[in-house]
Amino acid sequence: MAQVAHPFIIDVEASGFGPHGYPIEVGLALEPGKRFSTLVRPQPQWTYWDEQAESCHKIPRSILDVEGKPLTSVADTLNTLLAGKTVYTDGWVVDKPWVVQLFEAARTGMNFSISAMQSGSSAITTSTPCWRRKSSFPPKVVFSPTTTRGMPNCTMVPLHIMQGLSVV
């Protein structure tokens, strides 16, 4: 497995955990000290909302129409920030489909790839809801207080992952 010196990390918050969920925020941890986060304005047909998901990410549905960015703007920004790179996620089974959904709805191609994180022989849980995933992190984590509502997930990456990320 290839080692990555300083991985770019992506985290996506969504309207719900099931198949009807859609992306509502994208957060990135880029090179040291550089972060990006944006709310996503849902498509008119994206109406599913899970109160349990909101209790986790703390992003009320009402704010998305006001502060959310259009899908094309979010897709273009992600392509600019991540051009030609691989970005990693601890929630690959949900984050990757939500990013793909965002790009498909924006009718824009992705010019970066998304891969799962794995450290040594034990992969980070990729199918556990965020409140359990966060609580299972080792006590020593990287955290930036300059985050948006749902972004802490992508900056709360265990140090042992950051120091020796392996590609699955």
Side-chain angles (χ1 to χ4, degrees):
M1 283 186 247
Q3 294 291 311
V4 177
H6 187 85
F8 284 16
I9 308 296
I10 191 168
D11 184 61
V12 181
E13 299 299 335
S15 66
F17 301 115
H20 304 293
Y22 49 86
I24 62 168
E25 182 182 33
V26 179
L28 299 172
L30 303 166
E31 56 266 355
K34 186 173 180 186
R35 309 279 189 254
F36 169 80
S37 179
T38 187
L39 294 174
V40 178
R41 185 179 308 143
Q43 294 285 86
Q45 66 273 24
W46 291 356
T47 58
Y48 174 75
W49 193 258
D50 184 336
E51 298 295 328
Q52 189 176 17
E54 182 179 339
S55 71
C56 176
H57 56 59
K58 309 289 188 224
I59 302 170
R61 173 68 172 91
S62 59
I63 203 165
L64 298 175
D65 289 327
V66 176
E67 294 185 29
K69 302 288 186 241
L71 296 175
T72 54
S73 174
V74 175
D76 289 346
T77 300
L78 291 174
N79 272 338
T80 298
L81 292 171
L82 302 172
K85 295 185 173 45
T86 298
V87 63
Y88 298 90
T89 176
D90 66 334
W92 186 80
V93 297
V94 291
D95 285 349
K96 183 173 182 177
W98 286 327
V99 173
V100 168
Q101 180 183 18
L102 185 150
F103 275 83
E104 285 178 353
R107 299 176 191 260
T108 303
M110 284 175 47
N111 66 7
F112 60 94
S113 61
I114 302 173
S115 202
M117 287 192 300
Q118 182 174 334
S119 176
S121 62
S122 58
I124 293 177
T125 303
T126 58
S127 60
T128 309
C130 62
W131 60 87
R132 288 192 49 213
R133 193 167 14 125
K134 285 179 185 173
S135 66
S136 68
F137 279 150
K140 191 172 185 182
V141 295
V142 176
F143 179 74
S144 169
T146 59
T147 58
T148 321
R149 294 161 190 85
M151 190 183 163
N153 232 15
C154 80
T155 57
M156 292 180 66
V157 178
L159 290 178
H160 69 280
I161 298 294
M162 296 298 284
Q163 292 167 350
L165 183 70
S166 298
V167 180
V168 176

